Amino acid sequence: MPVSKCLKRSEPLWKGWDQKAQKNGLRHQVYAVNGDYYAGEWKDNLKHGKGTQVWKKNRAIYEGDWKFGKRDGYGTLSLPDQQTGKYRRVYSGWWKDDKKSGYGIQFFRSKEYYEGEWCGSQRSGWGRMYYSNGDIYEGQWENDKPHGEGMLRLKNGNRYEGCWERGMKNGPGRFFHLDHGQLFEGFWVDNMAKCGTMIDFGRDEAPEPTQFPIPEVKILDPDGVLAEALAVFRKTEEEGD
């Protein structure tokens, strides 16, 4: 009795080509149609693992971790200097969903950089900012601006310690005028001191002390006077709103 055999059905050629085109594991440079290219690890046709991405338009380079096509984990972003053409580090730190998230260091202009926490590519949480003019801010951030408790130390040694809101001094705080040997303690609104007390502080060690010391004020209840002034001011603000 003759034995019949079923012919094995051959798959279309495109399926084989498609399977070979699937990107998984380590690959050398893979170019996009716009000129960008990536070299590193892949998973299911997505950048996943360690890899380096180069953008043609601005020549930016990212080296670090990827997760399902997005920068995720630890990585460094670099850009070419506009004057020298040499690459300079712009950001080193943690990423999540293609945005700066967690602890990282951002380099701005010369001698100006931020080190601290990020969320959604904005400075958020605790951080320290070194400004090019020599000032240093250390404290809380929100929406890329000082917000919460923080200290601003000026280049000349004077400093402000207190509350911040939207990048400005707002709320109770103390300003140490160490160059003149005085201390102001009071309440601030949008970087302006509205009410408070000024006393001598370290006047003997100050490099440029005031000509005369602040005379002692004889008030039975100075704290009560300040509290009353604050209450009047806050009431005025509420009525204005």
Side-chain angles (χ1 to χ4, degrees), residues 114-219:
Y114 167 86
E115 56 180 1
E117 297 175 311
W118 295 78
C119 182
S121 286
Q122 291 189 327
R123 289 167 286 188
S124 185
W126 178 91
R128 185 186 294 118
M129 181 72 195
Y130 295 84
Y131 296 95
S132 58
N133 63 357
D135 297 346
I136 301 173
Y137 171 82
E138 181 175 358
Q140 295 175 310
W141 294 74
E142 186 177 295
N143 296 327
D144 225 29
K145 294 180 180 179
H147 191 96
E149 293 289 331
M151 178 185 70
L152 176 66
R153 186 165 65 248
L154 304 181
K155 182 180 180 180
N156 63 2
N158 294 346
R159 71 179 186 270
Y160 168 82
E161 298 177 357
C163 294
W164 295 77
E165 186 177 324
R166 297 173 284 106
M168 296 180 287
K169 306 178 191 75
N170 273 286
R174 299 187 299 172
F175 198 102
F176 295 81
H177 298 271
L178 300 181
D179 54 346
H180 299 314
Q182 294 179 330
L183 167 62
F184 175 84
E185 185 170 3
F187 193 84
W188 302 71
V189 175
D190 293 347
N191 276 340
M192 293 185 64
K194 292 295 183 178
C195 56
T197 57
M198 180 78 83
I199 62 172
D200 287 321
F201 182 87
R203 190 170 178 276
D204 295 336
E205 295 81 23
E208 299 177 7
T210 54
Q211 185 177 0
F212 301 104
I214 297 176
E216 185 178 357
V217 179
K218 299 292 184 178
I219 299 179

Side-chain angles (χ1 to χ4, degrees), residues 102-118:
Y103 181 84
I105 302 176
Q106 171 87 37
F107 297 89
F108 299 93
R109 296 183 295 273
S110 175
K111 299 180 181 179
E112 186 165 295
Y113 65 96
Y114 167 86
E115 56 180 1
E117 297 175 311
W118 295 78

Side-chain angles (χ1 to χ4, degrees), residues 66-128:
W66 296 79
K67 188 178 288 184
F68 301 112
K70 295 181 179 181
R71 290 168 290 186
D72 202 303
Y74 189 87
T76 298
L77 180 67
S78 302
L79 283 169
D81 188 273
Q82 294 181 352
Q83 295 179 344
T84 64
K86 295 181 179 180
Y87 276 89
R88 62 178 183 87
R89 187 173 47 167
V90 175
Y91 175 80
S92 288
W94 293 92
W95 301 72
K96 186 176 179 63
D97 291 333
D98 225 28
K99 295 182 179 180
K100 302 164 195 167
S101 186
Y103 181 84
I105 302 176
Q106 171 87 37
F107 297 89
F108 299 93
R109 296 183 295 273
S110 175
K111 299 180 181 179
E112 186 165 295
Y113 65 96
Y114 167 86
E115 56 180 1
E117 297 175 311
W118 295 78
C119 182
S121 286
Q122 291 189 327
R123 289 167 286 188
S124 185
W126 178 91
R128 185 186 294 118

Side-chain angles (χ1 to χ4, degrees), residues 25-69:
L26 182 63
R27 288 287 182 106
H28 295 295
Q29 291 182 0
V30 177
Y31 284 83
V33 293
N34 62 358
D36 300 346
Y37 65 87
Y38 170 84
E41 296 176 305
W42 296 77
K43 183 177 181 181
D44 297 332
N45 275 338
L46 295 172
K47 303 160 193 169
H48 191 88
K50 300 288 184 182
T52 300
Q53 169 81 27
V54 179
W55 287 268
K56 181 182 178 181
K57 186 175 181 179
N58 60 359
R59 297 168 56 201
I61 298 177
Y62 170 82
E63 299 174 281
D65 298 325
W66 296 79
K67 188 178 288 184
F68 301 112

